[in-house]
Amino acid sequence: MKFGWFEAAALTAASVVSAQDDLAFSPPYYPSPWANGQGEWADAYKRAVDLVSQMTLAEKVNLTTGTGWSLDKCVGQTGSVPRLGLLSLCLQDSPLGIRFGDYNSAFPAGVNVAATWDKTLAYLRGKAMGQEFSDKGIDVQLGPAAGPLGRHPDGGRNWEGFSPDPALSGVLFAETIRGIQEEGVIATAKHFILNEQEQFRQVPEAAGFGFNISDTLSSNLDDKTMHELYLWPFADAVRAGVGAIMCSYTQINNSYGCQNSETLNKLLKAELGFQGFVMSDWSAHHSGVGSALAGLDMSMPGDIAFNDGLSYWGTNLTIGVLNGTVPQWRVDDMAVRIMAAYYKVGRDRLHTPPSFSSWTTDEYGFEHFAVSEGAYERVNHFVDVQRDHAEIIRRVGADSIVLLKNKGALPLTGKERKVAILGEDAGSNPKGANGCADRGCDNGTLAMAWGSGTTEFPYLVTPEQAIQNKVLQGRGNVFSITDNWALDQVAKLASQSSVSLVFVNADAGEGFITVDENRGDRKNLTLWKNGDNLIKTAAKNCNNTIVVIHSVGPVLVDEWYNHPNVTGILWAGLPGQESGNSLTDVLYGLVNPGGKTPFTWGKTRKSYGAPLLTKPNNGNGAPQEDFEEGVFIDYRHFDKRNDTPIYEFGYGLSYTTFAYSGLQIQSLNAPKYIPTSGKTKAAQTFGKTDEASDLVYPDELQRIHQFIYPWLNSTDLKKSSGDPHYGWKDSKYIPEDATDGSPQDLLPASGGPGGNPGLYEELVRVSVNITNTGNIAGDEVPQLYVSLGGPNEPPKVLRKFDRLHLGPSQEVVWATTLTRRDLSNWDVAAQDWVITKYPKKVFVGSSSRKLPLQGSLPVVV
């Protein structure tokens, strides 16, 4: 049953239908928890309350609702509160740099950060991005991402995040957030949650591919898997103080992600204690009252469909408060959460209008681009925000390179007489580095995948350029063939060369772009553009063939990786603007590779399990994707099946060697875990209650077409809405307890940022000796895995890691601690984390399959 623009309880209605159809069901959880300013949020919360208490209802609603697609300068922009000196907030993509900008940097992708396994680099990259966003007048960066986590190796947007392992993702997620927010920009943790594939994420996109579905895909998941896998990195994000979280396109157990009371109200706000605001993904907002009561705090970009001039919120949210459908405390809480995030990062000290336009590269243009209205003004100031960030970009690019194979071929000496550079992936895009909108093609070297998670390159150093410069410095000869189908010429050049450097790639991206029939998600895991034949041709003709892979994730290498003439293989991921320089640093030994693969390289696509859903399976209804594998994705899946991959999770070679010894395990005196109990305070309203007559559109204000406003069109609420279904007002469509502002029971697993503080108490200290047994300095990544011992648990799960630099023959002691969360499982009945009775073990080594040290953990509670 639909209720037009102001659909009151689509969530509840959908849940009823789901239950009747025997589909997965998302249980309701109400009311939406109100912020309380706990912990480090206290001062920001108080300041937010003070400001919001001075606002009218229309001003509060203006903060919650975007002004419409391309109506202002940023991809998303809230309304302003000029009476109190508050400019509109600018929200801008992406997780790796400023989308639609200029004179900004193009950073390595999240998957490359994961391959560094370096907390410091994650933080520094986040800090550099935060500086650039702040310098451009951007208040909210739409990143980083840990959703998709990476259930599918061929998922289109995995590269925007970090790794399919929740612990590795969670740590780097949190460090990136800290870096961004320390520069006065609100970070956005996305996409919350289970947005694990691109196909069927939106109904209009599916229609474009000929599929007639009524609703987007439903990711169906059990409570235990949710907590132990997909929610894990978001707990780390909340613990790091993230200011914003973006909900997702997909449904979760047949309830839309941006109006799912179980995930937003219960998991995120009540259990994890999130104090910031939840924004919708662009066009992921599907109802008015339903989403408001289920925990959404900001509608982006504000309009229902781009530039239709209609909104679920704006005027309709104002009406919802006036007619009692939405309690005032809920809208007050939305505004307080937004402003608390603003104050927490110190944005009030840095807040300036954006100095660029997302919609034109012209210096001058209309204030409101989509409708060519408003002042004709300077919209692009061409502010250079790059600073010295090329240095951190080059370093992340080099430190993320994973050396997969080396038969003595690397590092190169610089004295090779004749070097062949083979493959389109070595060279430039004939259309230019930014020649394809949102990087929506696979031309030339792959340094960034496609979609909204991209930025404009300020320049792109290709491998061909950087290697040629290096070879010429050594007075060698260098020749390039960048046509992947010119195999006769490749064979001839390879046969004459001292070394053949072969470049191949595999691309992917967001679902609104299709490249070579890849609908965002990859259609397979093979190399693109004849890459396998290119490698085999070179290897057949040159006994020193080195393969460089630029890819969004794992690719199938079984046809050639073991060829005796393939003497080296490197994975370079998506390294950003310094691509060629980063690679050359490693090829020629200026940087000793220390990257470790953040995903598993299987022999076949089938070996990963969990195939993408590519055809509707529920008639014309929402496609149903059951996460039947539970927590067993990536290396956990391979371990469960005892399937030997080609390159295991955490694997990576160096130009030196390392040895592990001396495992020590010490029990720490942690206090007993106490589940949280008690009640919250009652919800509060801030400021006066307005009358309809106070909220009518101001006569003196010029109305802009398509612009989303918070004011009423008249004091007749039904006419003001313009909603043909507005006449209903029946309490059965409002979920039970959804408007209850009385004190609420606290959840056992709640109590602090990221959950119960007891989860983060340290229970066990583990230390090992690590020795560089070679004659050159290098980086090693010690990895600690835990066996939780239960009969249905993975053989091991990553819990701790670090990246260490060791000189020749140097020995260091690496020590880390395991927290209660690290050793716990989620108990569905208790709705809390518990340490089970099963014996637990710890494993330490250099990859998930090379763990020379192991020991039993003491009994802890």
Side-chain angles (χ1 to χ4, degrees):
M1 184 175 292
K2 299 289 184 180
F3 296 99
W5 306 343
F6 206 42
E7 183 183 348
L11 179 150
T12 310
S15 297
V16 172
V17 172
S18 298
Q20 291 173 347
D21 292 350
D22 198 30
L23 299 178
F25 169 70
S26 184
Y29 185 89
Y30 294 97
S32 184
W34 38 93
N36 58 22
Q38 66 182 3
E40 62 182 17
W41 286 82
D43 181 64
Y45 174 78
K46 183 179 183 302
R47 293 183 67 190
V49 167
D50 289 345
L51 185 71
V52 171
S53 296
Q54 302 174 54
M55 292 182 184
T56 66
L57 175 59
E59 288 169 336
K60 296 169 189 174
V61 169
N62 225 20
L63 280 180
T64 71
T65 309
T67 56
W69 179 249
S70 66
L71 267 296
D72 276 312
K73 292 181 179 178
C74 305
V75 296
Q77 218 157 319
T78 68
S80 60
V81 186
R83 184 178 63 87
L84 299 176
L86 184 65
L87 304 176
S88 64
L89 301 183
C90 168
L91 294 77
Q92 194 73 10
D93 293 312
S94 76
L96 56 66
I98 299 169
R99 185 187 184 203
F100 298 151
D102 51 34
Y103 298 97
N104 55 263
S105 302
F107 290 86
V111 69
N112 282 66
V113 178
T116 70
W117 294 62
D118 192 319
K119 304 166 193 175
T120 300
L121 282 184
Y123 166 79
L124 291 175
R125 172 179 169 273
K127 190 176 181 69
M129 290 194 297
Q131 289 171 348
E132 296 201 5
F133 277 74
S134 182
D135 289 350
K136 281 286 190 182
I138 299 166
D139 304 299
V140 184
Q141 179 176 350
L142 301 177
L149 183 66
R151 177 185 186 234
H152 309 286
D154 36 10
R157 299 182 76 176
N158 293 353
W159 58 273
E160 292 186 40
F162 299 98
S163 165
D165 180 83
L168 179 58
S169 279
V171 170
L172 301 177
F173 201 29
E175 290 300 326
T176 304
I177 288 164
R178 289 189 180 99
I180 293 168
Q181 295 197 159
E182 282 189 14
E183 293 302 320
V185 172
I186 299 169
T188 306
K190 65 181 192 180
H191 305 84
F192 189 79
I193 194 168
L194 305 186
N195 202 151
E196 292 293 316
Q197 70 170 61
E198 291 303 284
Q199 294 183 73
F200 305 124
R201 68 175 190 150
Q202 293 203 75
V203 171
E205 284 180 4
F209 298 128
F211 298 119
N212 178 24
I213 59 173
S214 61
D215 292 283
T216 66
L217 176 143
S218 178
S219 298
N220 303 324
L221 187 71
D222 64 278
D223 191 32
K224 185 175 188 292
T225 302
M226 174 69 86
H227 280 83
E228 295 183 5
L229 193 64
Y230 297 98
L231 190 64
W232 187 285
F234 285 96
D236 290 328
V238 173
R239 190 164 169 79
V242 70
I245 285 181
M246 182 189 293
C247 50
S248 60
Y249 286 120
T250 50
Q251 299 188 79
I252 301 105
N253 294 326
N254 289 289
S255 175
Y256 273 105
C258 291
Q259 57 189 42
N260 187 308
S261 64
E262 171 80 1
T263 57
L264 299 183
N265 285 346
K266 183 179 183 182
L267 298 183
L268 182 59
K269 292 184 174 180
E271 183 181 316
L272 298 186
F274 177 55
Q275 299 292 303
F277 63 96
V278 177
M279 74 177 77
S280 67
D281 202 341
W282 273 229
S283 298
H285 191 178
H286 293 282
S287 70
V289 174
S291 58
L293 299 179
L296 185 67
D297 301 305
M298 182 184 285
S299 175
M300 277 293 144
D303 35 23
I304 295 177
F306 288 176
N307 304 119
D308 65 1
L310 308 177
S311 181
Y312 288 117
W313 283 7
T315 297
N316 281 316
L317 186 54
T318 303
I319 293 169
V321 175
L322 291 175
N323 72 10
T325 312
V326 177
Q328 182 181 328
W329 62 256
R330 175 77 269 267
V331 174
D332 289 353
D333 183 60
M334 296 175 188
V336 166
R337 286 174 174 274
I338 293 165
M339 292 312 303
Y342 177 87
Y343 287 128
K344 183 179 184 296
V345 303
R347 192 67 201 151
D348 55 307
R349 299 191 302 271
L350 301 165
H351 190 36
T352 58
S355 62
F356 69 100
S357 170
S358 297
W359 320 115
T360 178
T361 58
D362 294 339
E363 185 173 3
Y364 290 89
F366 284 101
E367 179 183 4
H368 304 292
F369 176 84
V371 291
S372 298
E373 293 181 16
Y376 192 80
E377 60 186 14
R378 191 179 185 193
V379 294
N380 280 308
H381 295 258
F382 308 115
V383 178
D384 188 339
V385 299
Q386 297 170 87
R387 304 194 189 195
D388 58 355
H389 296 154
E391 296 176 11
I392 187 67
I393 291 169
R394 183 168 180 169
R395 182 179 170 193
V396 173
D399 283 2
S400 62
I401 289 174
V402 182
L403 181 60
L404 296 170
K405 180 179 180 179
N406 186 18
K407 297 300 182 183
L410 294 169
L412 299 174
T413 65
K415 299 185 182 299
E416 288 77 15
R417 293 188 62 192
K418 191 170 187 177
V419 177
I421 302 173
L422 306 173
E424 179 182 326
D425 182 68
S428 299
N429 181 349
K431 298 179 180 179
N434 299 317
C436 302
D438 288 318
R439 314 295 78 77
C441 63
D442 187 46
N443 301 339
T445 194
L446 182 64
M448 186 186 301
W450 76 72
S452 66
T454 59
T455 184
E456 304 294 302
F457 286 106
Y459 60 82
L460 175 54
V461 180
T462 69
E464 180 183 19
Q465 293 165 341
I467 294 167
Q468 177 173 283
N469 289 340
K470 192 72 175 179
V471 174
L472 295 181
Q473 290 172 14
R475 301 182 65 82
N477 287 187
V478 57
F479 301 91
S480 300
I481 298 175
T482 55
D483 181 343
N484 284 13
W485 283 267
L487 298 183
D488 290 342
Q489 291 87 342
V490 167
K492 182 178 180 180
L493 179 58
S495 68
Q496 300 168 354
S497 299
S498 312
V499 57
S500 292
L501 300 170
V502 185
F503 289 82
V504 290
N505 69 33
D507 206 350
E510 192 170 357
F512 72 89
I513 295 174
T514 296
V515 178
D516 191 24
E517 299 181 358
N518 294 270
R519 299 170 178 171
D521 303 317
R522 284 189 279 171
K523 60 185 178 183
N524 52 49
L525 292 185
T526 60
L527 291 169
W528 287 32
K529 294 192 171 182
N530 206 34
D532 291 306
N533 288 329
L534 178 71
I535 294 168
K536 288 186 283 188
T537 300
K540 183 179 179 180
N541 291 278
C542 179
N543 64 3
N544 189 18
T545 298
I546 297 170
V547 178
V548 179
I549 304 168
H550 288 112
S551 73
V552 292
V555 294
L556 302 181
V557 300
D558 55 299
E559 292 184 15
W560 50 264
Y561 83 101
N562 224 12
H563 193 292
N565 288 347
V566 174
T567 54
I569 305 173
L570 304 98
W571 178 83
L574 305 169
Q577 69 191 44
E578 289 283 322
S579 175
N581 288 334
S582 297
L583 177 65
T584 304
D585 287 345
V586 171
L587 286 175
Y588 288 89
L590 183 64
V591 172
N592 188 347
K596 303 281 186 175
T597 179
F599 45 75
T600 301
W601 299 65
K603 296 175 182 176
T604 65
R605 171 59 182 90
K606 188 176 181 180
S607 63
Y608 290 89
L612 291 164
L613 184 67
T614 57
K615 295 182 180 179
N617 60 358
N618 186 32
N620 292 336
Q624 302 291 307
E625 180 68 350
D626 298 327
F627 287 40
E628 295 177 343
E629 73 285 348
V631 300
F632 294 95
I633 67 171
D634 200 76
Y635 72 89
R636 302 170 183 219
H637 175 78
F638 283 80
D639 287 354
K640 180 181 181 181
R641 292 167 49 88
N642 198 27
D643 184 352
T644 301
I646 292 178
Y647 299 117
E648 71 270 20
F649 174 81
Y651 170 86
L653 300 173
S654 169
Y655 295 155
T656 187
T657 53
F658 300 93
Y660 288 72
S661 63
L663 175 66
Q664 298 289 325
I665 301 172
Q666 177 188 359
S667 181
L668 303 176
N669 295 320
K672 182 180 178 182
Y673 180 72
I674 301 175
T676 298
S677 60
K679 287 183 176 292
T680 69
K681 294 182 179 179
Q684 293 180 274
T685 57
F686 304 114
K688 69 183 184 69
T689 301
D690 295 295
E691 301 294 332
S693 58
D694 301 324
L695 299 168
V696 176
Y697 194 96
D699 292 335
E700 69 276 10
L701 188 66
Q702 179 185 357
R703 189 183 290 267
I704 303 298
H705 290 93
Q706 301 180 7
F707 202 90
I708 306 302
Y709 295 102
W711 292 290
L712 306 177
N713 299 309
S714 75
T715 55
D716 184 323
L717 299 185
K718 181 177 179 180
K719 291 181 179 178
S720 188
S721 172
D723 185 343
H725 300 280
Y726 180 80
W728 69 270
K729 190 175 180 185
D730 191 330
S731 60
K732 72 180 180 180
Y733 293 116
I734 303 299
E736 186 177 359
D737 300 325
T739 60
D740 181 6
S742 65
Q744 302 294 312
D745 291 332
L746 295 171
L747 300 177
S750 70
N756 192 311
L759 295 173
Y760 300 95
E761 292 168 345
E762 297 172 341
L763 303 187
V764 178
R765 182 180 185 272
V766 179
S767 65
V768 299
N769 300 324
I770 303 173
T771 306
N772 182 345
T773 55
N775 57 10
I776 61 171
D779 288 3
E780 175 61 326
V781 177
Q783 301 164 41
L784 184 153
Y785 296 78
V786 168
S787 168
L788 296 174
N792 299 314
E793 298 300 321
K796 59 183 176 295
V797 291
L798 179 72
R799 284 297 183 254
K800 301 294 179 180
F801 63 90
D802 215 336
R803 182 160 177 153
L804 309 174
H805 184 78
L806 283 77
S809 302
Q810 182 182 0
E811 181 178 12
V812 298
V813 175
W814 177 61
T816 188
T817 56
L818 294 168
T819 66
R820 182 172 279 108
R821 183 175 74 142
D822 292 328
L823 301 178
S824 295
N825 289 107
W826 180 253
D827 187 315
V828 174
Q831 284 295 286
D832 203 357
W833 293 93
V834 299
I835 297 178
T836 65
K837 62 183 179 181
Y838 299 104
K840 294 170 179 29
K841 292 183 179 180
V842 64
F843 306 86
V844 182
S846 59
S847 78
S848 63
R849 292 285 176 106
K850 189 177 181 181
L851 299 165
L853 305 181
Q854 59 179 283
S856 297
L857 290 174
V859 176
V860 289
V861 294

